[in-house]
Amino acid sequence: QVQLVESGGGLVQPGGSLRLSCLASGFSLERYSIGWFRQAPGKEREGVSCITSDGSIYYVDSVKGRFTISRDNAKNTVYLQMNSLKPEDTAVYICAADQAGWCNEYDYWGQGTQVTVSS
């Protein structure tokens, strides 16, 4: 069964850090581009970052310099290190896998993990 499972979310104070994980089962992440998205209440889903199978990386402007995406193919996992978190980063964070590799057509989606940035 193909599955993506996110973990690592939680409550953190402004300026704090979290590391999210996206673990794949039922398929190998190695040949996929993996994207992280977020959706805040009342807002549309937003693409945050993507890493391709050859290691190219993309970030939305609002997280550049604060978030870092990486992949460990041996662990079938992609990470999103989030530093200097702001209240506006509060959202459900979701990972997705794109077999075509262009970070724009996703075949599999996880259920998401909640990130709340608040004092």
Side-chain angles (χ1 to χ4, degrees), residues 24-76:
S25 60
F27 72 105
S28 173
L29 279 182
E30 188 171 6
R31 297 182 181 181
Y32 287 72
S33 294
I34 305 299
W36 281 99
F37 296 79
R38 63 188 179 187
Q39 187 158 22
K43 295 187 177 181
E44 292 189 357
R45 187 172 63 200
E46 173 187 38
V48 174
S49 181
C50 185
I51 184 167
T52 66
S53 58
D54 65 358
S56 296
I57 289 173
Y58 306 93
Y59 298 103
V60 69
D61 285 346
S62 60
V63 308
K64 286 180 180 177
R66 301 189 297 122
F67 290 11
T68 303
I69 192 171
S70 61
R71 64 193 303 153
D72 185 338
N73 291 332
K75 295 183 178 180
N76 224 26

Side-chain angles (χ1 to χ4, degrees), residues 2 11-14 22 48 55 63 70 88 98:
V2 171
L11 173 63
V12 64
Q13 292 185 342
C22 173
V48 174
V63 308
S70 61
E88 52 262 44
D98 171 3

Side-chain angles (χ1 to χ4, degrees), residues 71-92:
R71 64 193 303 153
D72 185 338
N73 291 332
K75 295 183 178 180
N76 224 26
T77 300
V78 169
Y79 303 98
L80 185 68
Q81 177 68 44
M82 306 187 298
N83 298 329
S84 302
L85 282 161
K86 304 175 181 180
E88 52 262 44
D89 295 318
T90 295
V92 175

